[in-house]
Amino acid sequence: MVNTYPDVGIQSRMNRIISPKDNRVVMLAIDHPYFQGPTTGLRNMSNTIRTLMPYCDCLMTTRGAVRANIAPGDLGSKPVMLRVSGGNSVLFDELSDERITVGIREAVRMDAAGVAVSVFVGSANQQRTILNLTDTINQAEDYGIPVLAVTAVGKDMARDLRYLALASRICQDAGARIVKTYFCEEFSRLVDSVAPTAVVVAGGKYSSPPDALKMAFDSVEAGAVGVDFGRNIFQDENPVGMIKAIGAIVHGNHTVKEAMDIYQECLPRASKLE
Ligand code: R5P
């Protein structure tokens, strides 16, 4: 029998991740402990999740973080982009040496909206990590689960258009439904080179509210469907103000100045996350 709706599961989950109303998403990246341990802002993970979850569209996190910090009743209120690659730590220089750490059956059991795999193009473990991605896509698509590919950048790689477009295109060709990458000069050329695959932008190390908001603004203006920021939200002194301001840019097309006004309005009630 011919399956006339072969992608219905994928599409349904994609709609949970990226709003079909405006084709945009504010994803909150809180998966860092999988290799960084209890990093600043994520030491008290349940408080961070409780504080920020209402303002994001999707949580990018790990199996253990969900299990330990999200009550079953709250799970499902926001879609989870489940990180399924890892196996290393900041105590080892070569972070690219990753394997698949969570199986697709577990992702189904957890009702993950999508699964995320890092790919380290140009690293010592390039082939392994690309095959981590393709193997995951082969299995996840069978269950209607979209795969987000993270273009992880080794310390020797330049975060320029040439490198990031190469890495992003490899992820698209592998079959990723969403590519997460870093912002760079001429970013619209990267977005064009993987169109129509959705692109979300990682925030990188903590910078400053105006700089991070400008990156969010420039990313969506260049055609990204949104951001998947972590440290620039949960390490800011005003994390709720920051995520609200990002939401105003991504979903409300606010300018950086308007978003900074939203940030400032929240500042008097702000408290830093542990
Ligand atoms: C890195 O591999 C992780 O997926 C992080 O979630 C990602 O780098 C985004 O977080 P940040 O905005 O802190 O860079």
Side-chain angles (χ1 to χ4, degrees):
M1 194 175 122
V2 177
N3 181 353
T4 48
Y5 300 105
D7 278 342
V8 73
I10 293 276
Q11 198 51 57
S12 164
R13 288 186 173 87
M14 286 293 283
N15 288 348
R16 286 170 63 195
I17 300 163
I18 303 169
S19 170
K21 287 189 199 143
D22 59 3
N23 197 37
R24 295 270 173 92
V25 60
V26 175
M27 202 180 289
L28 175 65
I30 49 168
D31 57 333
H32 308 59
Y34 92 94
F35 72 106
Q36 290 189 335
T39 194
T40 305
L42 301 181
R43 294 206 174 95
N44 184 344
M45 186 66 117
S46 44
N47 183 48
T48 296
I49 291 174
R50 203 173 329 114
T51 304
L52 297 176
M53 192 155 87
Y55 308 104
C56 72
D57 302 310
C58 179
L59 279 178
M60 182 191 188
T61 190
T62 58
R63 163 171 58 185
V66 170
R67 193 172 283 168
N69 301 293
I70 304 183
D74 293 337
L75 195 55
S77 60
K78 288 288 154 86
V80 169
M81 175 61 68
L82 186 67
R83 170 166 279 285
V84 298
S85 74
N88 226 314
S89 87
V90 283
L91 299 183
F92 189 60
D93 262 355
E94 191 48 73
L95 283 172
S96 67
D97 192 10
E98 288 200 349
R99 307 284 197 280
I100 294 303
T101 52
V102 181
I104 293 304
R105 286 168 60 109
E106 175 80 331
V108 172
R109 203 167 71 88
M110 291 178 62
D111 193 28
V115 295
V117 177
S118 286
V119 171
F120 294 76
V121 172
S123 75
N125 294 289
Q126 166 177 283
Q127 186 186 52
R128 177 188 300 286
T129 59
I130 293 174
L131 294 179
N132 284 345
L133 177 65
T134 52
D135 287 349
T136 301
I137 291 169
N138 288 338
Q139 294 172 42
E141 293 257 333
D142 268 353
Y143 291 89
I145 298 181
V147 178
L148 178 152
V150 180
T151 65
V153 182
K155 52 179 182 294
D156 301 331
M157 301 296 165
R159 292 186 188 196
D160 59 13
L161 175 68
R162 190 159 174 239
Y163 172 75
L164 294 171
L166 168 78
S168 299
R169 186 59 178 270
I170 287 170
C171 293
Q172 181 196 43
D173 272 57
R177 301 282 180 159
I178 308 172
V179 173
K180 170 175 168 173
T181 191
Y182 290 92
F183 188 76
C184 61
E185 296 279 316
E186 299 182 85
F187 193 68
S188 62
R189 290 181 60 193
L190 183 154
V191 176
D192 290 346
S193 75
V194 298
T197 302
V199 175
V200 292
V201 173
K205 277 187 187 157
Y206 180 78
S207 54
S208 72
D211 286 350
L213 293 176
K214 183 170 181 335
M215 190 196 291
F217 181 88
D218 290 346
S219 299
V220 292
E221 195 177 54
V225 299
V227 297
D228 186 14
F229 281 9
R231 288 164 287 182
N232 276 291
I233 298 172
F234 63 71
Q235 291 182 346
D236 193 80
E237 62 172 325
N238 178 15
V240 170
M242 196 61 193
I243 198 166
K244 280 186 172 178
I246 289 169
I249 287 172
V250 171
H251 289 299
N253 293 313
H254 283 48
T255 62
V256 174
K257 185 185 173 312
E258 288 165 345
M260 272 308 294
D261 289 344
I262 292 170
Y263 176 89
Q264 296 291 354
E265 277 165 28
C266 298
L267 200 50
R269 298 177 304 282
S271 65
K272 211 164 162 21
L273 295 163
E274 289 171 47

